Amino acid sequence: SSQNLYISAQINTTLCSDGPAFNNPSSLVVCDGQATSIALGGTDADGDSIVYSLVATKGSGGIPLNYNIPLSPTNPLATSAPMILDPNTGVLTFTPAGIQAGIIAVRADEYRNGVKIGEANRDLLVYVVNCTATTNVPPQQISGPSNILNGSLVSANHVSVCAGDTLSFQIAYSD
């Protein structure tokens, strides 16, 4: 079945830049109670610096979604201690507390010579499972973007598109 996904990017059209590319899958399974480190970051083909932050997940039309207290954009999963995000590497460290599913939204701000020139946002669906029991493993991404219209594939999870063009692509999952 189909699900909606919100993706956004801010691009400075006066500069030539590929923007930051996220290199990780869009979903992940982690174990309850086990310390976890996720590399949320990626690369920038132009060598620009990237600063990572956790942001609110957005729904249809870019409207920020509400979190159930005590969850928040900077701690979107129940954890035994606050999540720690290294803004320079994009590595997020946490220990999940309880079986759950949640969305971690990360923003990558792109800087050139100390000036912000763009940003990209990415949601990561995280399933926390009991790793000592038999569980139904959630769907796994099996291929990156395909059937790309009005853009070109740069790397496994990086599509380039011209300003003003409408981009369309498919991502395959297996269940």
Side-chain angles (χ1 to χ4, degrees), residues 6-26:
Y6 180 81
I7 299 173
S8 69
Q10 175 189 19
I11 302 167
N12 182 337
T13 58
T14 63
L15 297 173
C16 181
S17 176
D18 284 331
F22 291 98
N23 299 325
N24 55 357
S26 59

Side-chain angles (χ1 to χ4, degrees), residues 18 27 49 53 56-57 77 80-81 89-90 92 97 103 107 111 133 136 140 144 148 153 156 158 165 169 173:
D18 284 331
S27 65
S49 61
S53 59
T57 299
L77 296 172
S80 59
T89 64
L92 179 67
I103 299 173
R107 181 175 71 212
Y111 290 87
N136 180 18
Q140 299 294 313
I148 300 167
L153 188 63
H158 183 184
D165 284 352
F169 59 89
Y173 279 79

Side-chain angles (χ1 to χ4, degrees), residues 121-142:
N121 294 284
R122 171 96 183 275
D123 288 353
L124 175 67
L125 180 56
V126 178
Y127 296 94
V128 180
V129 299
N130 180 350
C131 291
T132 59
T134 302
T135 58
N136 180 18
V137 178
Q140 299 294 313
Q141 183 176 342
I142 58 173

Side-chain angles (χ1 to χ4, degrees), residues 8-10 20 22 40-41 50-56 58 85 87 90 104-111 116 118-123:
S8 69
Q10 175 189 19
F22 291 98
L40 298 173
I50 304 173
V51 177
Y52 301 93
S53 59
L54 297 176
V55 296
K58 295 181 181 177
L85 174 65
I104 298 173
V106 63
R107 181 175 71 212
D109 292 322
E110 178 185 17
Y111 290 87
K116 183 177 174 181
E119 73 179 47
N121 294 284
R122 171 96 183 275
D123 288 353

